[in-house]
Amino acid sequence: MEADVNRNIEEQLSAFLDGELPEAELQMLIRRLEKEENYRATLARYTLIGSIIRDDPAFAETDSVRTGVMKRLREVDSADAAKPDQPIESYSPKGDGSLNRRTGSLLVAAAAVLAVVGIYQFNLDVLPSVSVTSTPSVAVNLAAPVNPPVRAVSAPDVRSGRINADRITSYKVSHAGVSRSFQGAMVDSRVFVRPASYQE
Amino acid sequence: MSDRASDQLLVERVKAGDKHAFDLLVLKYQHRIIKLIMRYIRDPAEAMDVSQEAFIKAYRALPKFRGDSAFYTWMYRIAINTAKNHIVAARRRPLEYASEISEPEEYDWHTSMQDADSPERQAMGDDLRNAVAETIASLPDELRMAITLRELDGLSYDEIAQVMECPVGTVRSRIFRAREALDNRIQSMMDDSAMEYPLGDK
């Protein structure tokens, strides 16, 4: 039974190589090829057979081209993964989706924090526990195309509910430019310049 | 589904971020691209490197590929440009190289390969060629005709079906059975050669 299944798949591989596989079978075969290395190896041997029949040169090690290409593409992926602050322009619109998911998550988080900060401006009691540091870091990540010059206020001050006004002020100064570059975010640089709202 | 449509499906998957789909495209066309590049670059190792470079360039340029031409046609152009750029970068004038291979159809690929290959690889290559030739000769007539019409003459299944006066499904089956027989033969050879010609030994 399993041998029959394998044989059916190998016949599909043969037709795929010739560009003669119907679309419905093609979709399933591609999914299978993505998961199962042994079928890719079979396909590689079928292409080798064709190359030998046609008397093509360099057939003995041709598969090294494919392995070399895929290795370099994986290296590029690893390098990209190590650098989260990639320019958005470098990703295709239908890219891997991870940037869109990350951006979406950041937008939701930013909206939540901004809502709280907005309330803070009206001096509600809940505000001192808000991590002011999170607003700038999230907001800067929205402006992901550039490396954000983030120098956030240290968390312990926030956690204790005591906010160091001087450090907040210096932070505001360093981020005034960034805050103006936000795209679509409901951020106003005036949010960061209300010293009377902070308590020591 | 035609070859072009099949390739376009894979291209769309690559654009959506599926690298495995690009692996399949490389697998399908690497032999042809190497053969093409060897019209410009004789050294097989160099040709392999340039072929890799061509595929990497194609991968990076794929987001811009609109599908107006077939993928292979587009890839063909990239490969030629990559080969020519490589020659220029290596300080060889393209005109000189062209004069060396002014008659590419007469270019003796195998002599070139033998000049550059190690004895072990040459022997393995010869053994594979001989094994394939013997296996094809031993195939039933209808299988041999189907596989040679496909691989040597490049006919589509429809065309082969007309030539052999049989249904397309029968053509597909015959070609597969021929490949299966050849695959079984070369698999056993590759297993044996791994013992006889251990790669990397000097």
Side-chain angles (χ1 to χ4, degrees):
Chain A
M1 181 78 171
E2 191 176 334
D4 288 340
V5 169
N6 280 343
R7 214 158 171 268
N8 283 342
I9 294 168
E10 286 169 356
E11 184 175 329
Q12 288 181 337
L13 290 173
S14 173
F16 163 73
L17 188 61
D18 296 330
E20 301 273 1
L21 197 64
E23 185 171 352
E25 289 183 76
L26 179 64
Q27 299 275 10
M28 286 196 312
L29 183 68
I30 289 174
R31 279 195 288 274
R32 199 180 281 276
L33 281 166
E34 286 173 359
K35 293 178 195 165
E36 299 183 54
E37 172 61 34
N38 58 321
Y39 289 127
R40 290 204 296 279
T42 301
L43 191 61
R45 289 196 305 276
Y46 287 175
T47 59
L48 174 62
I49 287 165
S51 188
I52 295 172
I53 293 174
R54 289 186 302 272
D55 220 15
D56 289 344
F59 59 74
E61 295 180 342
T62 301
D63 211 46
S64 64
V65 170
R66 172 183 155 235
T67 50
V69 168
M70 298 316 293
K71 183 183 170 202
R72 282 177 66 179
L73 293 186
R74 279 192 295 272
E75 286 168 1
V76 166
D77 268 354
S78 302
D80 286 348
K83 298 175 188 175
D85 299 320
Q86 290 290 326
I88 292 176
E89 294 78 18
S90 70
Y91 291 88
S92 69
K94 294 180 184 177
D96 59 8
S98 62
L99 177 65
N100 290 335
R101 286 193 293 273
R102 184 165 65 239
T103 304
S105 304
L106 291 172
L107 281 170
V108 169
V113 171
L114 289 170
V116 173
V117 170
I119 294 171
Y120 183 74
Q121 292 182 62
F122 293 95
N123 293 323
L124 294 179
D125 291 340
V126 67
L127 294 177
S129 65
V130 170
S131 169
V132 177
T133 61
S134 65
T135 305
S137 61
V138 165
V140 168
N141 282 337
L142 284 175
V146 298
N147 289 325
V150 178
R151 291 189 294 276
V153 175
S154 66
D157 290 325
V158 175
R159 283 199 297 272
S160 68
R162 299 176 54 181
I163 299 171
N164 185 314
D166 291 340
R167 291 171 76 169
I168 291 286
T169 303
S170 68
Y171 181 85
K172 285 181 298 188
V173 168
S174 68
H175 284 78
V178 174
S179 66
R180 281 189 286 275
S181 71
F182 294 157
Q183 297 174 16
M186 296 182 292
V187 173
D188 187 322
S189 59
R190 289 174 296 174
V191 167
F192 301 105
V193 291
R194 296 283 294 273
S197 303
Y198 296 107
Q199 300 174 4
E200 291 192 11
Chain B
M1 180 177 247
S2 70
D3 221 358
R4 180 169 175 169
S6 168
D7 288 350
Q8 190 58 34
L9 191 70
L10 289 172
V11 165
E12 293 305 320
R13 291 181 74 101
V14 177
K15 286 182 178 182
D18 182 0
K19 284 192 177 50
H20 290 291
F22 191 70
D23 185 27
L24 297 178
L25 286 168
V26 176
L27 201 156
K28 195 172 170 186
Y29 290 115
Q30 59 183 346
H31 294 264
R32 284 192 246 181
I33 293 298
I34 290 175
K35 184 176 180 179
L36 169 65
I37 286 175
M38 284 193 75
R39 294 184 196 176
Y40 299 86
I41 298 171
R42 275 192 183 177
D43 180 69
E46 216 173 318
M48 301 267 195
D49 287 344
V50 174
S51 301
Q52 262 192 46
E53 204 52 50
F55 278 113
I56 298 289
K57 283 186 180 177
Y59 179 80
R60 288 181 180 144
L62 258 179
K64 299 177 208 162
F65 176 64
R66 293 188 303 268
D68 295 338
S69 60
F71 171 78
Y72 181 64
T73 307
W74 180 75
M75 183 69 227
Y76 190 99
R77 288 199 292 271
I78 291 177
I80 291 178
N81 287 338
T82 306
K84 287 181 175 175
N85 290 342
H86 177 82
I87 291 168
V88 170
R91 296 181 186 173
R92 298 174 199 169
R93 290 195 297 124
L95 216 51
E96 280 178 5
Y97 231 76
S99 68
E100 286 180 343
I101 49 172
S102 56
E103 299 292 337
E105 293 79 15
E106 297 171 8
Y107 183 57
D108 186 352
W109 308 102
H110 298 297
T111 302
S112 169
M113 283 300 300
Q114 286 164 7
D115 288 344
D117 246 349
S118 70
E120 291 81 7
R121 284 199 289 270
Q122 284 178 34
M124 184 173 168
D126 289 341
D127 286 347
L128 277 173
R129 260 190 292 269
N130 292 337
V132 166
E134 283 170 11
T135 306
I136 288 180
S138 70
L139 288 173
D141 290 344
E142 65 273 14
L143 301 195
R144 182 169 60 249
M145 178 177 274
I147 190 75
T148 51
L149 284 175
R150 175 62 213 156
E151 294 288 8
L152 287 175
D153 297 302
L155 298 188
S156 68
Y157 284 15
D158 276 334
E159 289 165 335
I160 296 173
Q162 288 177 33
V163 168
M164 297 184 72
E165 295 179 332
C166 64
V168 169
T170 304
V171 170
R172 169 170 155 162
S173 170
R174 285 175 179 173
I175 289 174
F176 164 62
R177 282 156 56 200
R179 284 188 172 130
E180 188 181 36
L182 288 159
D183 188 32
N184 288 339
R185 182 71 193 270
I186 69 168
Q187 273 200 79
S188 62
M189 283 196 62
M190 283 176 169
D191 291 341
D192 293 343
S193 70
M195 292 164 52
E196 271 187 66
Y197 309 119
L199 295 176
D201 286 357
K202 301 287 180 193

